[in-house]
Amino acid sequence: MSENSILLIEDNFDDRFLLKKFLSTSGLNNWKIKEAVKLAEAIECLEKNTPGAILLDLSLPDSYGEDSFYQVKRNAPKSPIIILTGMADLSMAKRLIQKGAQDYIVKGEYNPRLLEKSIEYAIERHKLKFENDRNREKLLDSVLEAQDTERVRIAKELHDGVVQSLTVVSLSLGLLRSAIHKFDSRQRAQYEKCTENLSVTIDEIRNISHSLMPRSIAEMSLSEAIEGLMEDLEDSSEITFEFITNLDQEPEESLKLTIFRIVQELSTNAIKHSKANNMMVQLIDYPDHIYLMTEDDGIGFDKSEILESKNCFGLHSIESRVNSHGGLIEIDTRPGKGTNIFTSFYKGKKG
């Protein structure tokens, strides 16, 4: 299949015959048509080729309704999908337009010209959406890159500047200890309080510096850095973290930082929003790919509602980090059912 091709996913012989007949008498009569009567057959076709457009019946022998659409969309993100629907499924077809389908056609209520226009317009809309999404990803990727650069700068300033200055103050206070016997009780109490507050402040600034750009990223393996992060987060939250990995070979530096930042973002989100008791992080190494999976037993969320919200920079930034490395991300969650997030990365160089 190629750009001038259509994947027709329809199990009804009469509907397939009519669609092919109409296409043969339209301006798309030279387009190649590949047929699939089951979802499994369609996915097998999509693994081999990317069609110019997909005509999808929602009611198939091995799949039904929105699940049919989501599975096809997941396997063909670059192809526009046009829903074939009967009047009984019309409301579902309209909902799927909001989820990424480019158009719908009501069976029995179209002609060759309408079919041709629907496919042409769907292709153009999908191209525009794909280009807009790509530009948005480039912009967000630039923002994240600048954010990481600024984090490094601020962390260095805090560690090499502020912390060192406060350490000098601490040493100066220490020199006064030899004269503490000359202080009255009130002065001694103030001295001890000042020393204690200064020590706490230095520790807090060090913690901020390390959270902005942990030394472990540069000095430790990715597995050790994530394990240290899990221990720190468990100490400061009500969630029990579990980390499982078989990673032996380190990914390249850019991917290493990306994976760490994703784990950091997802863990922080879980602490802030999930009300979970437990969270598991798995980092699994395969010959060509690295898989990162997180699972919590929290309250979950409505994925479509959250992703469409303007206050969703966290998830959008995670998606951008994944996409910038050519990776894949799947989010499986719904209210009351916890959250599972799966990401995969090719272990080659970025881009």
Side-chain angles (χ1 to χ4, degrees):
M1 285 185 287
S2 65
E3 285 189 2
N4 293 337
S5 65
I6 295 171
L7 176 58
L8 173 56
I9 310 172
E10 170 63 74
D11 65 321
N12 185 284
F13 175 83
D14 292 335
D15 288 331
R16 290 202 311 276
F17 178 83
L18 185 60
L19 284 161
K20 289 188 293 181
K21 180 69 174 177
F22 281 1
L23 287 170
S24 69
T25 60
S26 73
L28 307 177
N29 55 13
N30 62 336
W31 282 41
K32 295 180 180 179
I33 301 174
K34 177 68 177 179
E35 300 175 53
V37 299
K38 292 183 179 180
L39 181 64
E41 294 176 13
I43 291 176
E44 187 176 344
C45 290
L46 293 171
E47 288 174 349
K48 299 175 182 177
N49 297 283
T50 300
I54 299 172
L55 299 176
L56 172 65
D57 177 28
L58 295 176
S59 182
L60 300 169
D62 55 346
S63 182
Y64 177 77
E66 295 186 15
D67 185 60
S68 301
F69 169 74
Y70 287 125
Q71 292 202 52
V72 171
K73 182 184 177 185
R74 187 180 304 123
N75 285 275
K78 295 183 180 180
S79 299
I81 301 173
I82 300 169
I83 304 297
L84 303 173
T85 181
M87 292 302 296
D89 294 326
L90 189 56
S91 60
M92 183 186 298
K94 290 180 178 179
R95 281 202 310 274
L96 292 179
I97 295 293
Q98 299 176 342
K99 306 298 182 182
Q102 290 302 327
D103 203 355
Y104 67 88
I105 295 174
V106 179
K107 294 179 181 181
E109 295 190 5
Y110 61 91
N111 55 47
R113 184 60 180 161
L114 179 61
L115 180 59
E116 177 185 351
K117 285 297 181 184
S118 177
I119 294 173
E120 289 177 344
Y121 290 161
I123 291 172
E124 288 305 312
R125 283 194 297 268
H126 194 71
K127 284 181 179 178
L128 287 172
K129 181 181 183 301
F130 190 78
E131 187 64 28
N132 287 338
D133 288 346
R134 189 165 64 177
N135 289 335
R136 175 180 166 276
E137 292 295 344
K138 286 181 180 179
L139 177 61
L140 190 51
D141 193 36
S142 298
V143 170
L144 292 171
E145 187 174 345
Q147 184 184 74
D148 283 338
T149 300
E150 187 67 3
R151 277 176 162 173
V152 173
R153 187 191 69 78
I154 294 174
K156 183 175 177 59
E157 288 292 330
L158 287 174
H159 184 269
D160 296 345
V162 178
V163 169
Q164 298 307 318
S165 297
L166 290 177
T167 300
V168 171
V169 175
S170 179
L171 292 173
S172 298
L173 276 175
L175 294 176
L176 292 176
R177 186 167 290 278
S178 60
I180 198 172
H181 63 279
K182 299 178 181 179
F183 297 171
D184 58 33
S185 59
R186 182 171 175 273
Q187 290 173 326
R188 280 197 297 270
Q190 289 177 331
Y191 173 86
E192 295 296 345
K193 187 65 175 178
C194 181
T195 303
E196 179 184 347
N197 288 342
L198 182 60
S199 177
V200 169
T201 300
I202 291 174
D203 288 341
E204 287 180 347
I205 294 176
R206 282 201 178 107
N207 289 337
I208 293 171
S209 175
H210 293 166
S211 68
L212 287 169
M213 182 52 62
R215 288 182 302 168
S216 56
I217 291 295
E219 300 174 359
M220 302 171 67
S221 70
L222 177 59
S223 297
E224 291 170 332
I226 293 176
E227 187 172 356
L229 175 66
M230 298 289 96
E231 291 175 357
D232 290 343
L233 291 175
E234 186 166 312
D235 289 342
S236 61
S237 72
E238 301 298 321
I239 297 179
T240 299
F241 288 90
E242 181 179 3
F243 178 51
I244 298 173
T245 185
N246 70 339
L247 189 68
D248 291 324
Q249 186 175 359
E250 287 294 286
E252 52 94 9
E253 284 302 313
S254 177
L255 180 56
K256 178 180 177 181
L257 179 58
T258 290
I259 293 175
F260 181 86
R261 286 298 184 207
I262 290 172
V263 173
Q264 188 178 46
E265 183 76 44
L266 291 175
S267 302
T268 302
N269 284 348
I271 292 172
K272 289 180 178 178
H273 307 297
S274 74
K275 299 182 180 178
N277 295 313
N278 302 281
M279 181 173 181
M280 177 184 291
V281 177
Q282 299 184 64
L283 186 64
I284 308 300
D285 189 17
Y286 285 93
D288 296 321
H289 290 80
I290 294 176
Y291 294 93
L292 173 66
M293 292 157 280
T294 65
E295 177 182 358
D296 71 54
D297 59 359
I299 59 175
F301 57 88
D302 185 319
K303 182 170 63 175
S304 59
E305 180 180 318
I306 292 295
L307 290 176
E308 291 171 6
S309 168
K310 294 181 179 179
N311 301 317
C312 189
F313 182 77
L315 280 179
H316 285 316
S317 69
I318 290 170
E319 286 187 331
S320 181
R321 289 183 188 276
V322 172
N323 292 337
S324 71
H325 282 274
L328 297 174
I329 180 168
E330 293 186 26
I331 303 173
D332 179 18
T333 184
R334 58 184 186 274
K337 298 296 182 180
T339 301
N340 300 328
I341 298 180
F342 170 88
T343 55
S344 65
F345 301 91
Y346 178 64
K347 290 200 290 188
K349 290 286 184 181
K350 180 177 177 179

